[in-house]
Amino acid sequence: PVDGYDGPAPSDARLIAIDLMILSIPVRFVLDTAGYHSVIKSSVAKSLNSARKVGVAEWAKSEGLDGIDHWNLGRCWLNRGAVDCGDLEMAATSRELPIPSGISGMLSIDFLKLYDWDFDFKNNS
């Protein structure tokens, strides 16, 4: 696993972790429903063989934020490879993110609006 975390999702009930397979590498993200833009740690993006920098994140540039690049992470899957998400693009930063240790980034509204989601909080699915 990327970023050193191979256990179950943290037990904090307010945290929803989503595991993506990027090619064959598991990458854990935290779901951030308050944010508009998904972000991954630059170090994680650089470690993925399929990932490539495609420019500067335009939203960050327009907000005057430096050091936030736009990356194509390559082909991604949810649900242990059962759901093909296609090529995933998001911002990458070397800035500290407000996420727990072992989490590689945050998936936000821009990611969520790509799919029709059905969350079952009672059954943790």
Side-chain angles (χ1 to χ4, degrees):
V2 174
D3 224 17
Y5 187 79
D6 194 22
S11 62
D12 184 344
R14 290 175 268 192
L15 177 73
I16 298 173
I18 296 178
D19 294 323
L20 293 179
M21 296 293 290
I22 302 176
L23 289 178
S24 61
I25 301 169
V27 182
R28 179 160 282 171
F29 291 87
V30 66
L31 184 60
D32 176 16
T33 58
Y36 292 106
H37 307 287
S38 298
V39 181
I40 190 170
K41 295 176 184 176
S42 292
S43 60
V44 174
K46 291 174 184 175
S47 74
L48 299 169
N49 292 333
S50 62
R52 67 186 189 286
K53 180 180 168 183
V54 294
V56 175
E58 289 300 321
W59 61 264
K61 186 177 178 181
S62 68
E63 293 177 20
L65 301 172
D66 294 325
I68 301 178
D69 297 317
H70 184 92
W71 281 69
N72 181 312
L73 301 180
R75 198 104 182 157
C76 299
W77 291 267
L78 281 166
N79 197 21
R80 297 184 181 106
V83 179
D84 185 351
C85 298
D87 279 4
L88 182 61
E89 295 191 5
M90 70 175 58
T93 184
S94 57
R95 296 173 183 223
E96 187 171 336
L97 296 174
I99 55 178
S101 175
I103 303 292
S104 298
M106 300 181 298
L107 296 176
S108 298
I109 299 298
D110 60 344
F111 178 79
L112 291 175
K113 71 180 185 179
L114 296 174
Y115 310 98
D116 183 21
W117 294 90
D118 187 15
F119 291 103
D120 182 351
F121 292 101
K122 183 176 180 183
N123 294 309
N124 294 320
S125 64

